[in-house]
Amino acid sequence: MPAAEIQLLREEHAPALLAFERDNRAWFAASVPDRGDAYFAHFDERVRANLDEQAAGVCRFHVLLAPDGAVLGRINLFDLVDGAADLGYRVAERAAGQGLATWAVREILPLSATRYGLATLRAASRTDNAASRAVLTRTGFTPTGETRLSGHPGLTYARDLAEFR
């Protein structure tokens, strides 16, 4: 297990989260759509909006923290509706290839079932993002179909959470 801790997003995470997003912007843009300049210009507003969505029970945002408090990654659940949610994650370039994403997804599965009452998680990955597809496969997600992600071919996945309830 990597030296990291999953925490539910809180306002005090904002400075470290902004540093994580800025430091890894180019790295992320190689495999997922860039967030755009407005995301960074209005970052505090975006964090407040995320916290409002979290308080409303619509989403659950998590940070993966190093022992020194630096953000190493994010793992989020979006659109919690009718016992299902969409999973998204990203890991800092400096932490890539060390099993952090796989560990985080494995940790979020039982949490999703027990704390958030979910029965199913969905995810999607571009077909050219082998690392993300490997994480999903290693953590029990199965392909459910094809999709387009920002104009690129992708696959959709699902994971039943019955074993964690």
Side-chain angles (χ1 to χ4, degrees), residues 41-107:
H42 304 285
F43 189 79
D44 289 340
E45 294 167 27
R46 183 69 197 143
V47 169
R48 279 193 292 284
N50 286 163
L51 293 172
D52 289 346
E53 287 179 300
Q54 191 162 270
V58 176
C59 298
R60 297 287 184 243
F61 301 97
H62 303 84
V63 290
L64 308 176
L65 297 177
D68 67 359
V71 174
L72 296 174
R74 303 181 74 166
I75 186 160
N76 300 317
L77 302 172
F78 301 96
D79 301 328
L80 282 74
V81 177
D82 296 330
D86 294 320
L87 173 72
Y89 52 87
R90 54 179 53 200
V91 173
E93 183 175 16
R94 72 181 179 118
Q98 299 174 32
L100 182 62
T102 300
W103 171 82
V105 172
R106 284 186 177 137
E107 291 292 309

Side-chain angles (χ1 to χ4, degrees), residues 143-163:
T144 57
E146 296 178 0
T147 191
R148 304 277 309 163
L149 299 168
S150 299
H152 297 274
L155 296 173
T156 57
Y157 294 81
R159 175 67 156 86
D160 183 86
L161 302 175
E163 70 189 80

Side-chain angles (χ1 to χ4, degrees), residues 19-29 71 90-94:
F20 163 80
E21 292 288 354
R22 279 188 177 148
D23 292 348
N24 293 283
R25 185 175 182 180
W27 162 253
F28 295 145
V71 174
R90 54 179 53 200
V91 173
E93 183 175 16
R94 72 181 179 118

Side-chain angles (χ1 to χ4, degrees), residues 91-127:
V91 173
E93 183 175 16
R94 72 181 179 118
Q98 299 174 32
L100 182 62
T102 300
W103 171 82
V105 172
R106 284 186 177 137
E107 291 292 309
I108 208 73
L109 295 174
L111 187 65
S112 297
T114 58
R115 185 174 299 165
Y116 306 138
L118 298 174
T120 305
L121 291 182
R122 298 176 300 261
S125 178
R126 285 178 22 182
T127 55

